[in-house]
């Protein structure tokens, strides 16, 4: 349990994941019905891009920093909303020049999108991350922070009383059996809460990732991918986000946003949107 997301905050994987998350939240909160959100591996909530962890890797420079400074000609609305959310968080700490210095993790992005009556549970197991997460939301009754195994939380809180929900699953992928644990937990969650929207992030590194994606395809998700070029061996160069039961128009927004992002992140960066397998339309969960 050594993973700290601060090393990777604002990198290309966060850009993909959080652009999609902001759009999912926007679409799911468009309906006048209460929404439940569960973040199973929430992290610290917010990150200092000038801090020790982020500066050690410098990954944000090739991610959010590059995107924020890119010319905004023909910027897709989904990207504009994501960058606005990042800038709004940054302004809380006094930033005014447009260069990101603080980066919102998924819990902060979720909190910004919540309406009165919506409910949010953020789970984290790492002791230092939990401390920071609780400090991030101290006094905020709209956010329930739990020091808990996110996979066990899926069983504990699903189905939600709201009957409408978004579940973000973004594990650290430290354990050797992470893919297996994730698949078991996800299958169980979908059986308990078949109409929920699930967003599952995973690194694409080796044959285990390919096997995982193949197994995951049985749930017929919409899958987003981003790949970098010219990355030294051993560093993350590709990742995926699979979304089960995406809301209407989410796929359309991602098909517009991801190629634009890839072009601005630099040469060799590519993005793909892969629709669910034939046989079940998007928006229908597996039994």
């Amino acid at each position: 349990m050594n993973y700290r997301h601060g090393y990777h905050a604002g990198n290309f994987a966060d850009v993909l994941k959080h652009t999609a998350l902001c759009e999912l939240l926007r679409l799911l909160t468009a309906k006048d019905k209460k929404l439940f959100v569960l973040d199973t591996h929430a992290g610290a909530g917010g990150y200092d891009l000038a801090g020790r962890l982020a500066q050690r890797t410098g990954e944000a420079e090739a991610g959010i920093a590059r995107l924020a400074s890119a010319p905004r000609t023909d910027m897709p609305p989904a990207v504009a909303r994501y960058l606005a959310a990042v800038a709004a968080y940054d302004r809380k700490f006094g930033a005014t020049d447009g260069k990101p210095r603080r980066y919102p993790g998924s819990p902060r992005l979720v909190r910004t999108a919540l309406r009165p009556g919506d409910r949010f549970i953020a789970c984290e197991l790492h002791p230092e991350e939990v401390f920071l997460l609780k400090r991030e939301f101290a006094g905020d009754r709209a956010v329930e922070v739990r020091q808990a195994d996110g996979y066990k939380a899926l069983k504990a809180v699903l189905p939600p009383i709201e009957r409408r929900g978004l579940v973000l699953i973004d594990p650290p992928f430290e354990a050797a059996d992470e893919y297996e644990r994730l698949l078991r937990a996800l299958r169980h969650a979908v059986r308990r809460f078949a109409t929920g929207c699930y967003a599952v992030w995973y690194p694409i590194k080796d044959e285990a990732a390919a096997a995982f994606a193949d197994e995951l395809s049985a749930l017929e998700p919409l899958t987003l991918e981003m790949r970098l070029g010219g990355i030294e061996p051993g560093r993350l160069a590709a990742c995926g986000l699979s979304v089960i039961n995406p809301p209407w128009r989410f796929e359309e927004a991602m098909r517009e946003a991801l190629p634009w992002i890839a072009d601005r992140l630099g040469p060799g960066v590519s993005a793909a949107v892969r629709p669910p397998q034939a046989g079940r339309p998007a928006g229908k969960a597996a039994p």
Side-chain angles (χ1 to χ4, degrees):
M1 196 170 59
N2 297 315
Y3 180 85
R4 303 290 302 278
H5 189 68
Y7 290 112
H8 313 290
N11 69 356
F12 82 98
D14 269 1
V15 169
L16 168 68
K17 175 175 43 184
H18 292 154
T19 299
L21 176 62
C22 288
E23 191 64 12
L24 287 171
L25 289 163
R26 184 186 73 86
L27 293 169
L28 289 169
T29 56
K31 289 187 176 181
D32 188 23
K33 295 181 179 179
K34 293 181 180 180
L35 181 71
F36 169 72
V37 182
L38 172 65
D39 191 341
T40 62
H41 299 75
Y47 304 94
D48 182 0
L49 298 183
R52 176 180 58 85
L53 300 186
Q55 287 297 303
R56 183 171 174 179
T57 63
E59 291 183 13
E61 291 299 319
I64 184 59
R66 189 171 293 176
L67 188 64
S69 64
R72 305 202 172 191
T73 306
D74 302 323
M75 177 182 287
V79 181
R81 286 188 284 267
Y82 160 63
L83 290 178
V86 173
Y89 182 75
D90 213 10
R91 283 196 296 272
K92 292 182 178 181
F93 301 91
T96 58
D97 61 1
K99 182 179 180 180
R101 289 181 173 81
R102 297 273 182 162
Y103 187 81
S106 53
R108 180 50 66 185
L109 294 172
V110 170
R111 178 63 185 96
T112 299
L114 292 181
R115 306 157 302 175
D118 291 336
R119 191 162 59 99
F120 177 34
I121 296 176
C123 297
E124 177 55 48
L125 202 54
H126 193 292
E128 292 180 65
E129 300 288 270
V130 170
F131 172 80
L132 294 171
L133 187 60
K134 288 183 176 181
R135 187 173 68 180
E136 180 80 18
F137 294 108
D140 190 340
R141 295 184 178 181
V143 182
E144 180 183 346
V145 175
R146 295 185 182 182
Q147 184 169 5
D149 182 323
Y151 297 131
K152 293 180 180 179
L154 289 168
K155 185 176 181 180
V157 305
L158 298 181
I161 57 175
E162 293 84 358
R163 309 306 301 179
R164 298 182 67 246
L166 170 63
V167 179
L168 175 63
I169 307 176
D170 177 21
F173 288 90
E174 281 188 309
D177 64 343
E178 192 81 66
Y179 290 112
E180 290 80 3
R181 288 194 69 201
L182 173 51
L183 279 169
R184 285 197 303 270
L186 181 60
R187 287 167 177 157
H188 184 77
V190 170
R191 285 196 296 269
R192 292 174 63 88
F193 184 38
T195 58
C197 177
Y198 298 82
V200 183
W201 183 89
Y202 57 95
I204 300 175
K205 289 184 175 180
D206 49 29
E207 293 182 0
F212 169 77
D214 186 59
E215 290 284 342
L216 190 61
S217 68
L219 297 175
E220 302 204 9
L222 174 72
T223 298
L224 317 176
E225 292 184 358
M226 188 163 288
R227 297 176 181 270
L228 306 181
I231 298 299
E232 62 187 73
R235 299 195 68 175
L236 181 66
C239 67
L241 184 76
S242 288
V243 183
I244 299 167
N245 291 337
W248 182 59
R249 305 201 73 171
F250 175 73
E251 179 177 353
E252 177 185 338
M254 293 300 99
R255 288 191 180 279
E256 182 182 22
L258 295 194
W260 192 95
I261 290 173
D263 286 345
R264 271 88 186 154
L265 290 187
V269 181
S270 63
V273 179
R274 307 189 189 286
Q277 292 179 344
R280 187 187 298 120
K284 297 293 184 180

